[in-house]
Amino acid sequence: MSAWVTEEVMRWALRFCSRRCPWQQHRFLLTTSVKDTSCTSKQPAQVCVSQKSQTSLSKSLLSSVRFYSQDRSHRDGVEELSLLPEVNLEDSASDQRLMRSPFYDKLQRCGSPSDVLDLTCQYSPTVQQVSNCLTHMWSTTKKMSEEQRRYELQLMFEHPAFEELLQKALKVVGHMRNDNVTYSLLSMVNLGVSQHSRVVQTYLRVCQENLNDFDEKCLSILASCLENMESSTNVDALKEGMKLIVDARLPGIKNVMTLQTMMRLLGKDAPQYLKRKLEKKALSMTDQFSLPNTQYMIFTMATMGFYSKPLMDLCSKKIAEDFHGIPFNRLYRVLQSYRELLYRNADLLTGLSEYVASPLDVWTNKQVLLFLSMFEDLAFCPDALMEAFAERVISNPDVLTLKDLLCVLKVYSSLNYDLRHQRQQFLDSLSHALSSYLPKIPAFMLLKAVYCLCLLGHFPSAPLEQLLQSSTLEQLEGSKFAKSRERMFQTVDLCLRLDRPPLPQPLTVPPSVMGDANASSQTANSRLSQGLQSLTGDEVHAVLQEMVVVENFYLIDGVITKPLPNQTCRTEASSCAGVEGSPAESSQRIAVICTPQSGFCYGTSNPRGPLAVKIRHLRMLGYAPVLVTEQELQSDEDGTETLRGRIFPELHRSETQTAVEQLRS
């Protein structure tokens, strides 16, 4: 039996029977680095077409392509490559004839890259067929599992015909149509051919030469390819060239889809001036926007990393008018794009919450939780959906998987949604579901679950006892995210000490797992500090303390101690009579906290999880919390009017009443 037959039998046996000892055949001539394959090098140029296959051609048949090379040894960074024509060129331009050919019929029946390569051994592919083979090889791998794809690609690289196909692709590139060039390049890159190989670099250089002749389809394919390629001289040159093409063709674009394709071509690297020109062009075409156009425009802006509020507002309005015409995956992508662009539209988010909530039965738990998770990322509380899903959980908590349960706990604790009369039933249902997973739940997941329940003010004994067991704590010592772990343990400890839940036995968090709170390391807000000092300087009975740390955890920007309303005169009268009253009975402590707007649910004054717990605990400690946002301080010229109305409301009311009486008089 010949050596070739032996190798062929081994290859087929390995393909269908074994994956342990793949037959190694080192034939990667066309996939080595360009840096090592200069035709001007004194060493044999492995990636060049074999000298035996080259023939002398007349100058009329010789097409020369100029391209930038990565080999710095080339003169002036420019190399000349002679693209030799292929022998089989007679019918490469006839698509209909190709569709009727036996080759094409057999190609469609190929189910793997190796099947395609076997077919090329039976036929000598034409120019068009070379592109079809590469595209079909890539297409077959997209339908495979990850493990199967890796194995099939390994067989592909080991197949003797793969190098021959790449050699043919290298020779015929000069005779390919533009769309075939781009499709072939995309297929080779996706199949794993080295981006520094001679064949890939040649195709990139041919794209540079023909870029002015590319239509929108070719540009789109090329953009998809370049998006996932490493930076190199040829890749970067093509990207810059595409920017010039888009800029030049922009005024003549009349189709919305074409415009969006152009926008995606540029991506995040587009200069700001060009993004603004695209925005202006898009706004001039808004009367042509269909419902799919509006969705795709939002996706496109997210891909570009370009925030245009007028475009986003217009697209959001059209989407909010017709949720029924949009499938789940696109609605979810809209929310994803919102998050990436840091954009929120209250009307769309509220409308989407109500649309999903009524009726909720048409959505699976997974779909609802994906929506809820995305709402939480946007810091938006979807009241209608939160209430409707809570009813589903109450009716059947056992349907929640452990992953579902952790997501529910995270969302409801973060958004601090008040379930009112359903609150206790809902929390009991979550505790019941969590108890069923206690025998097998990982330690870190248990910590996150207990932490979220503590934020909600709910303290089931079984999870707490299991979390604080020495065996569980030992598992958490070596876990990742040390700072996050310590912060969660600190919150659990505070809740056990301050909320004082009725537990069967006292539970405490060991100091060794809590680390340092470091609350005192935070810096004071200078604008708030000036406003508080100015405000309390005029009040005789008010005392100001700044940057106060409570329970070695909570930082208060300013604590103002002042007499209770209508207590000042009583205090003075008691002093005259020689009677001293308790400071706690005659004064109140106001805890002024400066918080970013992100501490609240979007569009509301409802504090989110950690801030809500801080307020709850400060009230338990006898403080009256007053929240001031950074935006409010910036909008107030002297920074005192907002503070005066919240810290001294009685003075603010009296001043307002006096002003009204003066106006009346």
Side-chain angles (χ1 to χ4, degrees):
M1 184 180 292
S2 67
W4 183 88
V5 174
T6 302
E7 292 177 347
E8 190 70 4
V9 171
M10 290 178 63
R11 184 177 66 81
W12 280 98
L14 283 169
R15 181 175 177 190
F16 293 103
C17 302
S18 174
R19 296 186 181 185
R20 296 182 180 178
C21 302
W23 168 48
Q24 297 297 328
Q25 192 177 47
H26 302 287
R27 297 175 66 90
F28 298 100
L29 300 184
L30 285 169
T31 57
T32 56
S33 174
V34 174
K35 185 179 294 185
D36 301 325
T37 59
S38 169
C39 291
T40 60
S41 175
K42 295 181 180 180
Q43 297 179 356
Q46 291 182 323
V47 297
C48 291
V49 181
S50 173
Q51 294 294 331
K52 295 181 181 180
S53 65
Q54 296 182 9
T55 59
S56 299
L57 300 172
S58 63
K59 293 184 179 180
S60 61
L61 295 178
L62 186 65
S63 59
S64 180
V65 176
R66 172 168 295 199
F67 53 80
Y68 291 99
S69 171
Q70 290 185 331
D71 192 346
R72 294 183 180 179
S73 65
H74 293 168
R75 184 180 57 186
D76 298 330
V78 176
E79 184 185 24
E80 296 290 326
L81 174 66
S82 296
L83 299 177
L84 304 180
E86 171 61 60
V87 176
N88 298 322
L89 298 176
E90 61 278 358
D91 56 358
S92 61
S94 177
D95 290 336
Q96 293 182 354
R97 188 173 178 181
L98 174 66
M99 295 287 286
R100 294 193 300 266
S101 69
F103 180 90
Y104 184 81
D105 293 336
K106 293 183 180 181
L107 180 63
Q108 295 307 303
R109 292 196 290 269
C110 293
S112 70
S114 295
D115 289 344
V116 178
L117 294 173
D118 290 339
L119 182 62
T120 62
C121 295
Q122 303 173 25
Y123 294 85
S124 179
T126 64
V127 175
Q128 178 73 25
Q129 290 168 352
V130 168
S131 177
N132 289 131
C133 287
L134 291 169
T135 303
H136 192 75
M137 289 168 68
W138 168 47
S139 179
T140 57
T141 61
K142 293 193 293 184
K143 304 173 185 178
M144 300 176 181
S145 64
E146 186 63 30
E147 182 180 0
Q148 183 184 6
R149 184 184 300 111
R150 285 197 301 267
Y151 178 65
E152 290 293 345
L153 291 178
Q154 182 182 16
L155 288 177
M156 178 194 72
F157 278 101
E158 294 169 356
H159 200 294
F162 185 53
E163 181 193 350
E164 296 176 7
L165 181 62
L166 293 183
Q167 286 177 343
K168 183 155 291 190
L170 181 64
K171 289 193 292 182
V172 304
V173 62
H175 302 283
M176 280 187 179
R177 298 181 314 197
N178 290 333
D179 58 340
N180 289 333
V181 172
T182 53
Y183 269 123
S184 299
L185 175 62
L186 179 63
S187 300
M188 286 188 290
V189 171
N190 288 337
L191 285 170
V193 178
S194 172
Q195 296 180 18
H196 301 288
S197 64
R198 178 63 171 271
V199 63
V200 170
Q201 292 295 319
T202 299
Y203 272 71
L204 288 171
R205 293 155 182 168
V206 171
C207 287
Q208 291 180 34
E209 290 291 327
N210 300 333
L211 191 59
N212 286 329
D213 300 325
F214 279 11
D215 57 15
E216 286 81 6
K217 177 182 177 182
C218 294
L219 289 171
S220 180
I221 299 167
L222 181 58
S224 300
C225 181
L226 295 177
E227 186 177 358
N228 298 317
M229 292 190 70
E230 301 172 2
S231 176
S232 67
T233 304
N234 288 313
V235 170
D236 295 342
L238 269 175
K239 287 183 177 180
E240 290 301 319
M242 289 170 66
K243 292 177 185 177
L244 298 175
I245 292 291
V246 173
D247 194 6
R249 296 185 185 179
L250 190 58
I253 295 177
K254 297 181 180 179
N255 182 272
V256 176
M257 286 299 298
T258 302
L259 174 65
Q260 291 173 339
T261 301
M262 292 293 189
M263 294 174 70
R264 292 181 71 86
L265 294 180
L266 299 174
K268 297 183 179 180
D269 295 332
Q272 195 66 21
Y273 82 90
L274 190 51
K275 290 182 178 180
R276 291 300 176 190
K277 289 179 67 174
L278 290 166
E279 176 189 30
K280 184 177 179 180
K281 181 68 175 181
L283 290 172
S284 69
M285 302 172 68
T286 53
D287 58 328
Q288 302 179 33
F289 281 17
S290 63
L291 184 59
N293 288 150
T294 59
Q295 302 158 45
Y296 196 68
M297 182 59 75
I298 292 177
F299 307 154
T300 299
M301 284 190 283
T303 301
M304 294 182 66
F306 176 56
Y307 178 85
S308 170
K309 191 174 187 305
L311 269 179
M312 293 293 289
D313 287 345
L314 184 140
C315 294
S316 298
K317 182 179 179 181
K318 289 197 174 185
I319 292 174
E321 293 172 353
D322 190 10
F323 289 121
H324 295 276
I326 308 174
F328 162 78
N329 60 335
R330 291 196 178 183
L331 287 174
Y332 183 71
R333 282 191 64 191
V334 168
L335 295 182
Q336 282 184 314
S337 300
Y338 274 18
R339 181 186 62 185
E340 293 174 22
L341 294 171
L342 303 179
Y343 169 84
R344 286 170 292 193
N345 184 288
D347 292 337
L348 183 140
L349 296 175
T350 302
L352 181 57
S353 169
E354 295 172 352
Y355 167 66
V356 177
S358 179
L360 189 66
D361 295 338
V362 301
W363 306 94
T364 65
N365 276 350
K366 181 179 180 181
Q367 290 174 327
V368 175
L369 289 173
L370 284 173
F371 275 134
L372 285 174
S373 180
M374 196 56 63
F375 280 127
E376 191 262 332
D377 286 345
L378 292 167
F380 176 80
C381 184
D383 294 347
L385 183 56
M386 298 276 277
E387 184 173 357
F389 189 71
E391 293 176 359
R392 177 185 285 189
V393 172
I394 292 171
S395 63
N396 190 9
D398 295 327
V399 76
L400 294 176
T401 65
L402 178 57
K403 186 177 180 180
D404 293 343
L405 177 61
L406 292 174
C407 180
V408 173
L409 288 169
K410 180 176 182 293
V411 170
Y412 279 79
S413 62
S414 174
L415 296 178
N416 188 33
Y417 178 65
D418 184 11
L419 288 166
R420 297 179 293 277
H421 62 282
Q422 292 183 317
R423 170 182 165 80
Q424 195 58 45
Q425 287 179 289
F426 177 68
L427 294 176
D428 289 341
S429 299
L430 295 180
S431 300
H432 169 77
L434 179 59
S435 298
S436 65
Y437 290 110
L438 287 181
K440 57 182 178 181
I441 187 172
F444 192 69
M445 287 187 176
L446 177 59
L447 173 59
K448 290 195 290 186
V450 171
Y451 166 75
C452 292
L453 286 169
C454 289
L455 293 184
L456 290 166
H458 188 63
F459 307 93
S461 59
L464 278 166
E465 290 174 1
Q466 181 167 324
L467 173 65
L468 297 176
Q469 289 177 357
S470 58
S471 58
T472 306
L473 296 176
E474 288 175 2
Q475 295 177 33
L476 288 167
E477 286 181 0
S479 63
K480 298 179 180 179
F481 313 111
K483 292 297 181 182
S484 174
R485 182 190 66 221
E486 292 174 357
R487 194 74 175 176
M488 286 191 283
F489 268 123
Q490 291 166 4
T491 302
V492 172
D493 174 66
L494 275 172
C495 289
L496 290 176
R497 290 191 290 107
L498 300 180
D499 289 277
R500 298 179 181 178
L503 298 171
Q505 57 180 350
L507 296 175
T508 58
V509 180
S512 59
V513 299
M514 289 190 290
D516 297 325
N518 293 327
S520 58
S521 63
Q522 301 179 32
T523 57
N525 184 296
S526 58
R527 195 174 185 87
L528 176 62
S529 177
Q530 293 174 3
L532 290 175
Q533 292 175 12
S534 174
L535 189 62
T536 55
D538 301 331
E539 301 296 330
V540 179
H541 302 288
V543 179
L544 171 65
Q545 294 175 283
E546 296 187 73
M547 305 301 289
V548 178
V549 179
V550 179
E551 295 291 328
N552 197 34
F553 188 77
Y554 294 127
L555 176 66
I556 305 176
D557 293 89
V559 175
I560 297 178
T561 304
K562 68 169 187 174
L564 289 169
N566 301 323
Q567 289 292 325
T568 304
C569 296
R570 296 180 184 178
T571 303
E572 292 177 354
S574 300
S575 299
C576 294
V579 179
E580 294 185 1
S582 172
E585 296 177 356
S586 59
S587 63
Q588 66 176 151
R589 292 179 299 174
I590 299 175
V592 183
I593 304 169
C594 182
T595 181
Q597 196 64 44
S598 59
F600 301 90
C601 292
Y602 174 69
T604 71
S605 58
N606 181 40
R608 298 177 64 192
L611 180 59
V613 175
K614 182 176 182 178
I615 294 171
R616 185 176 82 209
H617 286 166
L618 288 179
R619 285 173 177 163
M620 291 177 179
L621 293 169
Y623 293 91
V626 171
L627 304 181
V628 182
T629 65
E630 297 171 352
Q631 290 83 347
E632 289 175 327
L633 291 174
Q634 292 174 359
S635 61
D636 193 352
E637 292 184 1
D638 55 5
T640 58
E641 290 304 316
T642 300
L643 296 173
R644 187 186 304 277
R646 298 185 185 181
I647 299 173
F648 300 101
E650 65 280 359
L651 297 178
H652 184 73
R653 284 194 296 269
S654 63
E655 291 176 357
T656 303
Q657 184 176 0
T658 302
V660 171
E661 291 176 353
Q662 290 176 352
L663 288 174
R664 289 178 179 176
S665 62

